[in-house]
Amino acid sequence: MARDPKTAEIVAEMVANVMRVVVAPGDRLEAGDTVVLLESMKMEIPVLVEAPGTVTAVKVGEGDVVQEGDVLVTLDL
Amino acid sequence: MCVGVNVVPVTYDDLRRPPLDALALSRALTRPGSLWRDVEVVPEAPSTNALVAARARAGEAPGLVVLAEHQTAGRGRLGRVWETPAGSALTFSLLVAPDRVPAARWPWLPLLTGLAVAEGVRRVTEVDCALKWPNDVLVGDRKVAGILVERVEHAEGAAAVVGVGLNVSMSAEELPVPTATSLALEGAATTDRTVVVREVLRAFEALYGQWQAEGGDLTRGLHEAYVRRCATIGRTVRVDLPTGEQVHGEASRVDADGRLAVTTDRGTRVLGAGDVVHVRAV
């Protein structure tokens, strides 16, 4: 029986607005790829993945306000 | 661009616009123990932020300052682009790594930068400038400086690229938009960019050092210093949110996270992003 692939959740590190969502479900990502661009107080914060994986869900949309710890994107590693 | 009969090329012979003195800046700012390690002046760059961000990703250590005599494609928020006549503005970017401040508190960095620009400019030019939340530097209701901060991730961790554009000697005709101004137009005591940027970088170093020492906790002075310089608080404002929504009300305070609280007829909204318009009382 195949083991479930490992999954990862990419979370916001701070309260911010979602400026741009760069990925969609199914996208294959390399370490260092940007998934979401956040903005807080005129600071642009690209959120990157630390390991390669495939996007399983995008939990936010452009214009959303996210809180520290909110899940932005989930991945299968 | 408007072409008149007197087309005068702007050169370093232009006495109103002396070149930046890289050596003097290095001597004044890169002393042992100081925040600044390397001050570089480039003749021209599309965007100093892009230049410094690329160097950060390639492993450049923090403490770098890059100034462009002529920035040809400066980038503002949301990809807005502007160009300034050569030698008429201060366009520079800083590379810092606030390693003692948790990520959740990094959004104070743009506010701290606005405060540093306002304080440095006031000290040497005697121009009475203030901040429009979060960090536009205003003289009266006209914008004299804009700031864009970008977080950059690299192999060893995260850094911040802090970009500043400050209008120094532009004439009214050279302003990018009618709502802007320059230090010269506001009667500055000096329009020597070397003198102005030296003081801004000193002010930044002091405020940033305090912020790092407090671990990003602003309860000990920085918040109060920001509020004192922030012209938005108490004003009637319209805030254009990234969603396209508009919030109308009175800007009542800036909270511990640097967000703006706006009292509307339907309660208080706390905002972390958006373009503020100071509405004149009718």
Side-chain angles (χ1 to χ4, degrees):
Chain A
M1 198 175 82
R3 200 162 55 91
D4 277 348
K6 289 206 305 191
T7 61
E9 289 182 334
I10 312 294
V11 300
E13 287 187 273
M14 62 199 78
V15 180
N17 277 72
V18 177
M19 275 177 81
R20 201 150 61 232
V21 176
V22 186
V23 296
D27 285 359
R28 298 186 60 82
L29 306 177
E30 297 300 320
D33 283 353
T34 300
V35 290
V36 168
L37 192 60
L38 301 179
E39 183 194 26
S40 184
M41 256 68 79
K42 283 202 197 173
M43 177 163 69
E44 295 183 358
I45 306 141
V47 180
L48 316 182
V49 292
E50 290 174 0
T54 303
V55 177
T56 49
V58 175
K59 303 286 195 184
V60 292
E62 285 171 20
D64 287 357
V65 176
V66 293
Q67 304 297 318
E68 188 180 348
D70 281 0
V71 177
L72 305 171
V73 168
T74 59
L75 299 173
D76 276 344
L77 299 180
Chain B
M1 189 182 142
C2 165
V3 180
V5 270
N6 297 315
V7 179
V8 182
V10 177
T11 68
Y12 292 161
D13 300 328
D14 188 336
L15 293 178
R16 293 175 307 143
R17 292 177 177 162
L20 286 159
D21 188 339
L23 189 62
L25 287 173
S26 277
R27 281 204 188 114
L29 296 165
T30 62
R31 294 166 186 279
S34 83
L35 176 63
W36 308 120
R37 178 180 52 75
D38 185 16
V39 180
E40 298 177 15
V41 176
V42 298
E44 190 174 295
S47 152
T48 55
N49 258 35
L51 199 158
V52 171
R55 284 176 60 173
R57 288 188 197 99
E60 179 90 31
L64 173 70
V65 180
V66 175
L67 304 103
E69 287 285 5
H70 186 197
Q71 179 165 261
T72 55
R75 197 168 74 83
R77 280 182 61 241
L78 312 174
R80 292 166 190 153
V81 172
W82 80 94
E83 178 175 1
T84 47
S88 69
L90 274 164
T91 49
F92 60 99
S93 295
L94 318 172
L95 180 61
V96 292
D99 50 2
R100 285 190 269 167
V101 176
R105 292 197 177 275
W106 277 39
W108 259 96
L109 187 56
L111 284 73
L112 181 159
T113 306
L115 184 58
V117 172
E119 295 298 329
V121 165
R122 290 173 71 95
R123 263 178 237 156
V124 289
T125 69
E126 296 165 31
V127 170
D128 186 16
C129 51
L131 297 168
K132 185 181 80 170
W133 182 88
N135 62 6
D136 282 348
V137 183
L138 304 183
V139 184
D141 272 333
R142 292 172 183 275
K143 181 169 168 176
V144 73
I147 292 155
L148 179 71
V149 180
E150 299 172 62
R151 184 178 157 109
V152 176
E153 311 256 356
H154 53 84
E156 273 103 70
V161 177
V162 177
V164 178
L166 171 62
N167 297 339
V168 178
S169 65
M170 285 133 110
S171 65
E173 295 72 33
E174 288 171 330
L175 294 173
V177 287
T179 51
T181 188
S182 72
L183 295 179
L185 289 169
E186 301 296 337
T190 177
T191 56
D192 184 335
R193 291 174 303 145
T194 301
V195 173
V196 175
V197 77
R198 188 181 63 206
E199 204 59 30
V200 167
L201 291 171
R202 281 178 174 155
F204 183 97
E205 180 171 11
L207 291 167
Y208 178 86
Q210 186 188 347
W211 185 59
Q212 275 264 66
E214 293 173 358
D217 182 0
L218 297 161
T219 50
R220 276 165 282 179
L222 212 50
H223 181 264
E224 195 188 320
Y226 176 84
V227 166
R228 198 162 50 232
R229 269 302 162 246
C230 182
T232 303
I233 298 165
R235 292 286 295 258
T236 302
V237 294
R238 187 191 83 217
V239 189
D240 298 327
L241 301 186
T243 49
E245 186 195 350
Q246 288 189 342
V247 175
H248 298 261
E250 189 194 302
S252 48
R253 64 192 173 86
V254 169
D255 75 7
D257 290 325
R259 292 178 298 167
L260 183 69
V262 178
T263 307
T264 73
D265 21 348
R266 279 174 293 171
T268 299
R269 298 277 300 266
V270 180
L271 308 171
D275 283 333
V276 172
V277 177
H278 289 168
V279 179
R280 285 172 193 282
V282 186

